[in-house]
Amino acid sequence: MTDTGGMHDPESSAAPASAEAPASSPSARSRAVALRATLGSAAAFGGLALAYPQAGAASLAAFAALMVVVHWPRARRRTALRGAGPEAPRLWPDQGMKTVIDALGEPVFLVDRDFMLRYRNASALEAFGNMALGDPVSLRLRSPELIAAMELCQRSGEAGEVVLDERRPTDRTWLVTIAPVRAPRGERPRFFLLKFRDRTAETRVERMRTDFVANASHELRTPLASLSGFIETLQGPARDDEVARERFLAIMREQASRMSRLIDDLLSLSRIEMKRHLPDTARADLVRVFDKVADQMRPLAEEHGVSLEYERPERPLRIVGDEDELLQVFANLVENACKYGADGKRIVLKLEAVGGRQVSSVEAGVQDFGPGIAPEHVPRLTERFYRVDVGSSRAMRGTGLGLSIVRNILLRHRSRLVVRSTLGIGSTFSARFPLVRDDMAANGEREGKTKA
């Protein structure tokens, strides 16, 4: 198997070399040279001793010194090899280890004792890019916590875990399991396995849950504190004060209503989120939905001194969706326009088939002519409990969950909320839905006749 990354595996070239004749190997050539040196030296020093008997002792000493120089390094190398044994540490993993790593679905790195990358599977290549084999993993994973956990695993020989947070190119959270690959006969591990589990979604959900609980607790704490304070006052100093009692009871009723609205919105949001990923098969006519919205919200518009304008389309505009949920979406948008865009004195309900000659979708929206929304607030409008102006929202009896409910309903209908707002001019909240196929053909035919 060829290593991903194009690096040559030294193990693959080691096997053929062992099949060559012994004389052609470096060790065989070294032995031959040593043998020739020994025989030549013995003959030379022996001849010198025979020719000059008085130099016999010096010749013997010189021959012994030469043998030490020739044979001692080879003896040390043999001793070292015997100590290492036949299973000496190898630089690259074998084929069986690679096959197991490839079979794992999560990203996996295999590193050596120096934390050099020796292998990685296809999932790791997709998640972390093309890292060169033989390079330190710290070149790509710049995390002191990860390096420290790897060093601890190397020292202790025990598996460990560490969380790796990446910020580039995207925010991702990994749970990294570091485990030594056991070596035979109790030797030190030669390789270490790094397995990555993507916990980005879990981390985001946990963060959202924590924020949600904190915000909901805060929203409920304020009216509860008010109720508790007024009850204590009515039981104490204002026990016999009829005027104070009437005023406090009115405030307590308002605070109780506020808690009731908040709980209703929380339950509604929870129900919608539970079935957000379930496709809807019902059919809804947006013309009928907008008729109901206009009838229901006209009294509220008149209460705020706003005229509600609606140009009703002549033909039905049917989409796949739940009529009650769509009614909740656009009633919510009209209510927000009445509360926060009343300065413009007008609200326009827009319902228009779009797509040119072959009509394929319908755009539905609510436009107000109020003060508008600053650009920095627009991306966060659908967050839970987010308010542009906290004081104004609470004064208008807002819970901060309305647009979050709208967003989740639209996601279930395979659409999204589009917000266009200009300070001093007004805001438009709209969504686009695909028409049912029969209505697409009917509206396209009608548009063609109109142009003709």
Side-chain angles (χ1 to χ4, degrees):
M1 178 175 177
T2 303
D3 285 318
T4 309
M7 288 193 64
H8 180 62
D9 191 334
E11 290 185 5
S12 63
S13 61
S18 63
E20 296 177 3
S24 64
S25 66
S27 59
R29 289 194 297 270
S30 177
R31 287 195 298 270
V33 171
L35 180 60
R36 287 195 296 269
T38 301
L39 294 176
S41 300
F45 284 107
L48 180 63
L50 291 175
Y52 302 98
Q54 66 275 17
S59 299
L60 181 60
F63 177 74
L66 182 59
M67 291 302 99
V68 170
V69 171
V70 172
H71 292 283
W72 188 49
R74 295 182 65 250
R76 289 186 62 186
R77 285 197 297 271
R78 285 197 301 271
T79 303
L81 290 175
R82 282 197 300 270
E87 294 290 337
R90 295 174 295 178
L91 186 63
W92 301 95
D94 57 27
Q95 185 63 41
M97 192 179 297
K98 296 176 184 177
T99 302
V100 172
I101 293 174
D102 286 334
L104 299 175
E106 296 175 321
V108 176
F109 288 165
L110 189 71
V111 301
D112 61 16
R113 293 172 182 170
D114 297 322
F115 307 141
M116 302 291 183
L117 180 63
R118 295 307 175 191
Y119 195 69
R120 73 273 193 268
N121 60 7
S123 298
L125 179 65
E126 181 180 353
F128 298 100
N130 189 14
M131 298 171 59
L133 300 183
D135 282 352
V137 293
S138 58
L139 291 179
R140 172 62 177 81
L141 306 176
R142 300 180 180 275
S143 169
E145 293 81 6
L146 176 61
I147 301 302
M150 293 167 61
E151 291 174 347
L152 178 61
C153 178
Q154 186 186 62
R155 290 194 303 269
S156 65
E158 301 295 333
E161 289 184 343
V162 65
V163 175
L164 173 65
D165 291 314
E166 286 203 312
R167 295 292 174 260
R168 293 181 181 179
T170 57
D171 286 352
R172 300 187 75 174
T173 301
W174 300 94
L175 178 63
V176 188
T177 301
I178 307 163
V181 179
R182 301 299 179 186
R185 295 194 298 276
E187 298 176 9
R188 289 176 56 208
R190 304 161 191 166
F191 297 108
F192 297 86
L193 206 66
L194 274 63
K195 187 173 70 172
F196 297 80
R197 179 187 171 193
D198 192 349
R199 294 191 59 188
T200 306
E202 298 174 23
T203 303
R204 289 176 180 171
V205 169
E206 180 64 22
R207 187 179 299 121
M208 289 174 59
R209 186 190 68 81
T210 303
D211 293 343
F212 178 75
V213 171
N215 287 324
S217 301
H218 175 74
E219 293 293 330
L220 288 170
R221 188 180 296 114
T222 302
L224 281 173
S226 297
L227 287 173
S228 178
F230 286 126
I231 290 172
E232 290 179 2
T233 303
L234 290 174
Q235 289 177 336
R239 182 190 303 271
D240 300 322
D241 191 335
E242 193 170 321
V243 176
R245 182 170 61 250
E246 291 299 323
R247 183 166 61 88
F248 290 165
L249 287 174
I251 297 174
M252 292 168 64
R253 181 176 181 177
E254 173 60 30
Q255 295 298 325
S257 298
R258 177 182 170 186
M259 282 195 298
S260 178
R261 290 193 302 271
L262 179 59
I263 292 171
D264 289 342
D265 281 352
L266 288 172
L267 293 175
S268 178
L269 182 59
S270 177
R271 286 193 298 266
I272 293 167
E273 287 186 336
M274 288 178 62
K275 61 180 182 179
R276 191 178 74 182
H277 301 291
L278 300 177
D280 206 324
T281 57
R283 302 288 178 91
D285 179 10
L286 280 178
V287 176
R288 176 183 170 86
V289 170
F290 269 54
D291 288 345
K292 291 184 177 181
V293 170
D295 291 340
Q296 292 180 9
M297 304 307 295
R298 191 163 276 115
L300 180 64
E302 292 175 354
E303 180 182 332
H304 286 82
V306 177
S307 65
L308 190 60
E309 303 174 9
Y310 169 46
E311 185 176 345
R312 189 179 189 275
E314 297 178 3
R315 294 179 64 89
L317 296 172
R318 283 186 288 269
I319 66 170
V320 176
D322 184 280
E323 183 174 303
D324 290 337
E325 290 184 358
L326 293 170
L327 181 62
Q328 185 178 5
V329 166
F330 294 103
N332 194 306
L333 294 178
V334 172
E335 182 180 356
N336 284 348
C338 290
K339 290 178 178 178
Y340 308 113
D343 294 348
K345 304 299 182 183
R346 292 173 58 212
I347 296 175
V348 179
L349 300 182
K350 294 184 174 183
L351 197 58
E352 181 182 7
V354 295
R357 186 174 183 84
Q358 295 297 324
V359 175
S360 59
S361 59
V362 56
E363 185 166 342
V366 177
Q367 180 181 9
D368 68 65
F369 300 87
I373 304 169
E376 61 269 21
H377 295 296
V378 171
R380 302 189 60 188
L381 289 177
T382 57
E383 293 182 13
R384 297 171 179 176
F385 300 108
Y386 185 81
R387 295 179 172 94
V388 176
D389 186 339
V390 177
S392 175
S393 175
R394 288 179 176 169
M396 295 292 181
R397 302 180 180 180
T399 63
L401 294 173
L403 289 180
S404 182
I405 293 173
V406 167
R407 171 182 174 271
N408 281 278
I409 293 177
L410 292 178
L411 287 174
R412 183 167 183 255
H413 286 75
R414 302 297 184 266
S415 184
R416 64 188 183 92
L417 183 65
V418 179
V419 182
R420 303 180 184 89
S421 184
T422 305
L423 289 175
I425 296 179
S427 306
T428 301
F429 293 78
S430 62
R432 185 170 293 192
F433 306 90
L435 282 170
V436 174
R437 193 170 297 277
D438 296 341
D439 283 5
M440 289 168 55
N443 280 281
E445 181 181 352
R446 175 175 173 270
E447 185 174 335
K449 290 180 179 179
T450 302
K451 291 183 178 180

